Amino acid sequence: MLLVESCQQPEEKTTVTAPITPAVFSIEGLWSKDSAGLLTNHGYLFSSDGTFQEIGSVISGTWQMPSMDSIMIYDQEHEHSFLLKAERQDMIKLTDSNQSANYRRVPFGMNEKPDILNGFSGTLSSFRPDREYQVQIPPCKMVEILLHSEDTLIGFVLTRARDNIITKPVRNWKSVLVNGGEFKLTLMHNKPGKLTADGSEYDLKVMAY
């Protein structure tokens, strides 16, 4: 059974929605892509300094609003242009040439210093070229995973059913997760045939801000 922790707030049912005016609406904050009324690990964190971070991804860059009904997002490789419609203070619709999707505002804050959620250390060897750990990650947090090893061919992935966050081995990762819960953190060697019987030591930490 898949257990997912979310910071989702109950939707308010109203029959009349007051129009959103430029004077009161702000795009700054954490926005989770809506899927049938549920929050997802997809979306954007728009910061007040003009930078953004994709939820569940290391993709980041800058953003700007040429007008109150449009937003431009620039990452390391691409430029994205969206039409923006503020449905209400906690929901927007972003539309580009490919699709239209609703995003819901999610309460979010960060601590200056991280809390260490898990710490693992050990050895990958020719007898055991990979290791799996179960990690519990709180919802709506900036999460950082750091790997220290002299063997540069060691990396990790972070997965769970229907919500694969990191699918290609990396050595460090930092991003926002809206839906927390239990994830599988898998440590692996990119060329297991090069591992010796003595193996390569590693130290792995999972932190949340």
Side-chain angles (χ1 to χ4, degrees), residues 9-184:
Q9 303 294 321
E11 288 198 53
E12 297 181 1
K13 295 183 179 180
T14 57
T15 55
V16 178
T17 301
I20 303 300
T21 62
V24 298
F25 178 75
S26 173
I27 193 67
E28 296 171 12
L30 183 62
W31 297 88
S32 171
K33 188 175 183 179
D34 183 277
S35 177
L38 299 176
L39 300 177
T40 66
N41 279 325
H42 301 281
Y44 303 96
L45 173 62
F46 294 114
S47 299
S48 59
D49 62 358
T51 61
F52 83 91
Q53 169 86 50
E54 277 197 13
I55 296 175
S57 167
V58 295
I59 293 176
S60 62
T62 60
W63 66 272
Q64 62 178 4
M65 291 181 63
S67 64
M68 288 305 298
D69 60 359
S70 66
I71 185 169
M72 302 290 295
I73 298 176
Y74 309 89
D75 60 35
Q76 294 94 328
E77 298 181 357
H78 303 97
E79 173 183 310
H80 307 272
S81 176
F82 295 94
L83 292 176
L84 185 155
K85 182 179 180 182
E87 303 286 358
R88 54 179 193 254
Q89 287 287 357
D90 64 346
M91 180 173 285
I92 59 175
K93 177 179 286 187
L94 296 181
T95 303
D96 63 9
S97 57
N98 297 317
Q99 64 175 345
S100 180
N102 289 328
Y103 293 80
R104 293 168 57 189
R105 188 191 296 274
V106 180
F108 179 76
M110 285 181 59
N111 300 320
E112 289 187 11
K113 296 182 179 181
D115 294 323
I116 298 178
L117 304 178
N118 299 101
F120 309 102
S121 61
T123 301
L124 294 187
S125 68
S126 56
F127 301 107
R128 191 169 186 179
D130 58 70
R131 287 181 182 266
E132 293 183 357
Y133 301 102
Q134 300 299 319
V135 295
Q136 195 75 23
I137 296 177
C140 299
K141 287 290 185 180
M142 178 71 75
V143 178
E144 185 172 20
I145 306 176
L146 293 177
L147 168 65
H148 295 282
S149 176
E150 292 184 2
D151 190 337
T152 59
L153 295 177
I154 295 179
F156 62 83
V157 297
L158 184 70
T159 61
R160 72 176 173 191
R162 301 186 300 278
D163 199 7
N164 294 328
I165 303 300
I166 310 171
T167 57
K168 294 182 180 181
V170 296
R171 292 178 63 86
N172 57 77
W173 184 87
K174 186 177 183 180
S175 189
V176 179
L177 291 180
V178 171
N179 290 333
E182 189 173 78
F183 289 82
K184 182 171 68 174

